[in-house]
Amino acid sequence: MVGAGGAAAAGAQIGVRGTEFVLDGKPFPYTGVSFFNAIYNPAFNASSEARGQWLDKFGSYGINVLRVWAQWDNARGFVDACPECSLYRADGSLRAERVAVLKAMAADAERRGMVIELVLFSQESWREKIRLSEAAAERAVRELTAELKPHRNVTLQVWNEFSWH
């Protein structure tokens, strides 16, 4: 099967060569959409088949990267944001059920030659004082990267458009 990016779906590995993205060594037009709550969206994650239908729909529009948030716990009033809507707890330990959803999403995307860009921390939550300590953040990143290591179609974005200025 060939996915939206034109790459073979099995074993997809995202990388960089010079100034371009590559998937399995072939040029990859990194064309994404932000789907912030994808991990926590019950309709999207009702089943692998349901998620696959959504991924196929995105692919039909040329989207080959889904940008999703690990942390969806802000207090801005989004209907589905919640304190438990994060891949990690306050101590940095991972929520296994959330990580399992992310891994299933990565596998479904990989079968389609798609990539998941995972935003680890949300400046929206940080500004609302929903933060991990430095040690907890390091633990979360260490454990999450270990869990995701087999999924070579996942990239990490540390902060969501965060500037210290």
Side-chain angles (χ1 to χ4, degrees):
M1 177 179 195
V2 175
Q13 183 170 337
I14 189 74
V16 176
R17 181 176 54 217
T19 59
E20 69 180 349
F21 286 103
V22 293
L23 191 67
D24 296 333
K26 298 179 183 115
F28 181 73
Y30 202 95
T31 308
V33 64
S34 291
F35 188 175
F36 302 140
N37 70 332
I39 296 169
Y40 317 101
N41 186 301
F44 182 69
N45 294 301
S47 66
S48 183
E49 293 76 24
R51 189 172 33 251
Q53 288 174 352
W54 279 106
L55 292 172
D56 291 341
K57 184 172 186 173
F58 287 131
S60 74
Y61 290 104
I63 302 299
N64 56 16
V65 179
L66 280 188
R67 182 172 170 258
V68 302
W69 287 9
Q71 186 178 12
W72 189 241
D73 58 359
N74 67 66
R76 297 180 78 186
F78 299 130
V79 68
D80 59 348
C82 67
E84 297 79 29
C85 293
S86 175
L87 288 176
Y88 29 79
R89 294 178 190 85
D91 67 355
S93 63
L94 301 181
R95 289 189 167 93
E97 67 281 0
R98 301 295 193 186
V99 173
V101 169
L102 175 60
K103 287 173 152 183
M105 184 186 314
D108 288 340
E110 182 179 29
R111 283 191 281 282
R112 291 162 173 80
M114 298 176 85
V115 169
I116 302 294
E117 178 180 332
L118 180 65
V119 179
L120 298 179
F121 301 106
S122 166
Q123 55 95 357
E124 288 80 1
S125 296
W126 189 89
R127 292 186 193 287
E128 294 165 352
K129 310 288 189 235
I130 303 170
R131 307 174 183 171
L132 297 182
S133 69
E134 187 175 326
E138 287 180 16
R139 177 182 181 185
V141 172
R142 184 176 52 253
E143 290 184 11
L144 190 55
T145 54
E147 287 285 334
L148 294 174
K149 192 171 183 177
H151 299 279
R152 308 306 288 183
N153 66 321
V154 177
T155 64
L156 302 176
Q157 178 182 344
V158 176
W159 280 99
N160 171 43
E161 291 107 21
F162 188 80
S163 173
W164 294 100
H165 304 288

